[in-house]
């Protein structure tokens, strides 16, 4: 019985010591979160390319400077930077005792969209509208649709033909070494123009991989003759090339018995 009482007292002391340690730790955390010892006086910006460090500091500085590294609100900082369409995600890193590093991940420009009323928009690959442009950016493909798609900076584009265009460009095979100048989508059918001047009637996105392999072969075999070259793989079993106004059915080494998406 005496041994049992000693064990109970020992366990009680352990519990009390645990509570005391937790209380001291909580008190120390509270004191540090309110003191100037860990106050943020240096903010480092990393990863931004389009949004300037000055713009980011204008948004985040007032809510970070002078605050303890233990007491700032991540959600407030993240929400403030969501005002910039190019900002995809934000990560904050404490560098004790007084530095906060803001890691920025930006959307990468992907394509220029021809929108309503003659306006142009820079889009990311997921359809996020990054910027309103005065004219198409020549460094990126131009996406046009049968009916101009409404868009606004900071929003997303969800028109059916525009989404088809995204899917088409997002999945272009790596071995297709042609730079694309323009993609036009009409009722789900894709028409493409390369920067070398080749026009391609791709059709719908069915048999996607097979169409690109046939197209790759036909481009490799084509010879520039100073006339406009058009390749039609919309019916992949019967590809056609046309130079000027003369259409020529062609054959390839690819079996069209197997289809792919």
């Amino acid at each position: 019985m005496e041994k049992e009482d000693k064990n109970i007292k020992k366990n009680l002391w352990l519990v009390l010591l645990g509570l005391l340690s937790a209380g001291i730790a909580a008190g120390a955390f509270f004191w540090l979160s309110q003191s100037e010892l860990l106050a943020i006086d240096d903010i480092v910006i990393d990863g931004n390319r389009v949004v300037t460090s000055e713009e980011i500091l204008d948004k985040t500085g007032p809510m970070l400077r002078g605050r303890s590294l233990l007491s700032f609100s991540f959600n407030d900082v993240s929400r403030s930077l969501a005002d910039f369409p190019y900002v995809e995600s934000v990560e904050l890193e404490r560098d004790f005792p007084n530095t906060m590093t803001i890691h920025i991940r930006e959307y990468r420009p992907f394509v220029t969209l021809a929108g309503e009323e003659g306006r142009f928009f820079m889009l990311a690959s997921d359809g996020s509208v990054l910027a309103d442009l005065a004219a198409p950016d020549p460094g990126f493909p131009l996406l046009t649709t049968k009916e101009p798609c409404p868009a606004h900076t900071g929003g997303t584009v969800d028109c059916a033909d525009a989404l088809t265009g995204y899917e088409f460009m997002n999945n272009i095979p790596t071995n297709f070494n042609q730079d694309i100048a323009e993609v036009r989508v009409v009722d789900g059918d894709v028409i493409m123009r390369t920067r070398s001047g080749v026009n391609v009637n791709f059709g719908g996105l069915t048999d996607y991989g097979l169409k690109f392999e046939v197209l790759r072969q036909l481009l490799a075999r084509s010879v520039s003759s100073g006339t406009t070259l058009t390749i039609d793989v919309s019916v992949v079993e019967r590809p056609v090339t046309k130079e000027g106004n003369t259409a020529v059915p062609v054959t390839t080494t690819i079996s069209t018995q197997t289809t792919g998406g």
Side-chain angles (χ1 to χ4, degrees):
M1 185 69 178
E2 183 179 351
K3 183 177 180 180
E4 185 177 345
D5 288 342
K6 287 182 177 180
N7 287 335
I8 292 174
K9 289 180 180 180
K10 180 179 179 180
N11 291 335
L12 180 60
W13 272 110
L14 290 174
V15 170
L16 290 174
L17 286 173
L19 291 174
L20 181 61
S21 298
I24 292 173
F29 181 89
F30 178 79
W31 178 79
L32 286 171
S33 69
Q34 302 300 313
S35 76
E36 296 182 357
L37 187 64
L38 299 180
I40 299 169
D41 61 18
D42 189 19
I43 301 174
V44 178
I45 313 298
D46 174 66
N48 56 311
R49 300 180 309 277
V50 177
V51 184
T52 67
S53 295
E54 289 74 17
E55 289 174 318
I56 295 171
L57 286 173
D58 284 345
K59 288 282 189 179
T60 61
M63 63 184 69
L64 288 178
R65 291 195 188 280
R67 297 291 299 272
S68 169
L69 282 170
L70 301 178
S71 67
F72 69 91
S73 170
F74 171 82
N75 288 335
D76 287 348
V77 174
S78 183
R79 278 194 294 267
S80 73
L81 296 179
D83 292 341
F84 299 111
Y86 269 90
V87 174
E88 182 178 4
S89 63
V90 179
E91 181 182 342
L92 302 182
E93 179 183 359
R94 299 178 179 94
D95 186 5
F96 292 96
N98 305 111
T99 300
M100 175 67 72
T101 300
I102 304 177
H103 298 285
I104 302 293
R105 178 172 179 169
E106 293 182 340
Y107 287 105
R108 292 187 178 275
F110 181 66
V111 65
T112 299
L113 173 71
E116 293 181 317
E117 300 176 353
R119 300 169 67 193
F120 298 92
F121 301 90
M122 180 59 71
L123 307 181
S125 59
D126 68 347
S128 299
V129 183
L130 303 179
D132 193 327
L133 306 176
D137 189 322
F140 296 89
L142 175 65
L143 174 61
T144 64
T145 54
K146 179 181 179 181
E147 297 295 332
C149 197
H152 65 276
T153 301
T156 57
V157 174
D158 58 4
C159 304
D161 279 348
L163 293 175
T164 296
Y166 301 145
E167 184 176 354
F168 173 81
M169 288 185 286
N170 269 318
N171 293 285
I172 291 175
T174 55
N175 65 354
F176 186 75
N177 60 354
Q178 300 285 322
D179 285 335
I180 296 175
E182 183 175 352
V183 171
R184 179 166 178 77
V185 185
V186 178
D187 298 330
D189 287 335
V190 176
I191 302 165
M192 176 179 71
R193 179 172 58 84
T194 70
R195 294 194 186 277
S196 61
V198 178
N199 298 304
V200 178
N201 183 5
F202 194 85
L205 299 187
T206 56
D207 299 324
Y208 188 92
L210 184 58
K211 286 180 178 179
F212 258 107
E213 184 55 33
V214 170
L215 177 58
R216 186 187 64 79
Q217 284 198 23
L218 296 181
L219 283 168
R221 288 159 48 181
S222 65
V223 178
S224 175
S225 60
T227 60
T228 301
L229 175 65
T230 300
I231 298 176
D232 190 333
V233 293
S234 59
V235 181
V236 71
E237 297 85 355
R238 297 189 298 278
V240 174
T241 63
K242 180 190 295 183
E243 292 192 12
N245 296 317
T246 304
V248 181
V250 295
T251 58
T252 71
T253 62
I254 302 299
S255 169
T256 57
Q257 297 300 313
T258 302
T259 59

